[in-house]
Amino acid sequence: MRPFAASAPELVTGKGAGVLPRHVAIIMDGNGRWAKQRHWPRFAGHKQGVEAVRRIARAARAMGIEALTLYAFSSENWRRPESEVSDLMGLLRLFIRNDLDEMVRDNVQLRVIGDYRRFAPDLVALIDTAVARTAVNTGPILVIALNYGAQAEIAAAARRLAERAQAGTLDPATIDEAMFEDELDTRDLPPLDLLIRTSGEVRLSNFLLWQAAYAELLFVDTLWPDFDADTLAAAVEIFGQRQRRFGGL
Ligand code: FPP
């Protein structure tokens, strides 16, 4: 199967099998258009989007991908109508309530990046409990980006380093990329290898800007609710065919 062969002719060659990205991130886009195509409310698209989250988290685990980071709510998504924001929060609540036991059983470590503490107190408590319950696990990492914005993440890292410098506990001359990375929300994750955006949009929308420095980028036409294990496998195969030189030859 070649789910997005038109934009990915490399798929035809079949080369690169077996090279697995350690860390895959996805900008899950197209829920609204998926619903619109069916003359359904946007909520139906988001609901199917959650099914895709479940499906892809399982598929990534089965493939042996160490970390999967999903952009579920950006710091800009507050600009959507209040009812849609509330729908997304409701779906997140349901997802955690329904899927936490499975994550515990499957040795998944659930993590969150972003300023999710701005969410409703009950949701913050639910997230904290879920993260704590899976913190003892040692298996695949599922990261949900919630109220996440890369520029805010980078600014917060710079602020913390500046505070330490001002307090006299850090020599600014010693600040390097590794020290900066230690201040990012992603500090404990493997390096980002592959960043996918669905739905045909070709931009990063303030997602993992620092971490994407050497990631392979893949933009696919598939709408997020249609993204399945085959699409993920095809994306991973394309990743395996890319030549990563990290600035060398
Ligand atoms: C973009 O589609 C999608 C989002 C802004 C939200 C993604 C959320 C989910 C998949 C569900 C909640 C997630 C979890 C982890 C429970 P869009 O609505 O912008 O699509 P459009 O561009 O076609 O309108």
Side-chain angles (χ1 to χ4, degrees):
M1 184 186 171
R2 297 192 286 133
F4 36 83
S7 56
E10 307 102 302
L11 264 184
V12 181
T13 67
K15 286 184 298 190
V19 184
L20 202 61
R22 292 182 65 196
H23 183 179
V24 176
I26 308 181
I27 302 175
M28 308 180 288
D29 200 4
N31 294 349
R33 276 162 283 168
W34 186 92
K36 195 171 180 186
Q37 284 173 358
R38 290 160 179 77
H39 308 285
W40 290 352
R42 290 179 60 79
F43 177 72
H46 291 315
K47 202 157 170 276
Q48 280 308 306
V50 178
E51 289 306 319
V53 165
R54 202 166 270 136
R55 204 161 57 222
I56 294 312
R58 285 179 186 146
R61 296 209 270 281
M63 291 173 78
I65 291 168
E66 280 175 57
L68 175 70
T69 300
L70 301 175
Y71 206 6
F73 193 87
S74 79
S75 44
E76 288 74 34
N77 284 153
W78 295 108
R79 294 183 195 145
R80 296 191 175 208
E82 221 176 295
S83 59
E84 180 161 341
V85 170
S86 157
D87 283 345
L88 287 169
M89 299 293 159
L91 287 170
L92 180 62
R93 261 189 204 91
L94 273 180
F95 173 73
I96 296 176
R97 287 202 186 113
N98 289 336
D99 288 47
L100 182 58
D101 284 346
E102 179 182 319
M103 288 189 246
V104 170
R105 193 195 63 215
D106 288 357
N107 200 22
V108 173
Q109 307 177 56
L110 179 68
R111 310 255 181 95
V112 171
I113 59 171
D115 188 12
Y116 70 97
R117 293 191 182 280
R118 273 199 53 205
F119 289 180
D122 74 295
L123 185 50
V124 173
L126 192 66
I127 294 167
D128 284 341
T129 307
V131 170
R133 263 191 80 194
T134 62
V136 292
N137 289 351
T138 54
I141 305 170
L142 174 62
V143 187
I144 315 269
L146 296 173
N147 194 20
Y148 175 86
Q151 291 178 340
E153 178 192 32
I154 292 168
R159 202 159 46 238
R160 279 193 295 273
L161 292 175
E163 281 164 2
R164 282 164 52 197
Q166 195 176 37
T169 56
L170 172 68
D171 175 1
T174 63
I175 297 175
D176 59 9
E177 292 90 330
M179 191 185 288
F180 203 90
E181 266 172 12
D182 272 350
E183 296 296 325
L184 298 174
D185 292 2
T186 49
R187 67 186 75 85
D188 297 324
L189 299 173
L192 181 61
D193 289 319
L194 174 62
L195 193 157
I196 303 168
R197 184 174 188 142
T198 62
S199 90
E201 305 291 344
V202 188
R203 57 181 173 272
L204 294 181
S205 297
N206 204 13
F207 189 45
L208 300 177
L209 298 183
W210 173 288
Q211 298 83 347
Y214 285 102
E216 292 298 321
L217 308 182
L218 184 61
F219 299 95
V220 303
D221 290 338
T222 313
L223 301 176
W224 175 247
D226 290 328
F227 202 92
D228 61 13
D230 287 338
T231 337
L232 180 66
V236 165
E237 190 178 342
I238 289 172
F239 170 83
Q241 290 156 7
R242 298 265 180 98
Q243 286 197 354
R244 302 181 83 198
R245 292 195 293 271
F246 299 98
L249 291 178

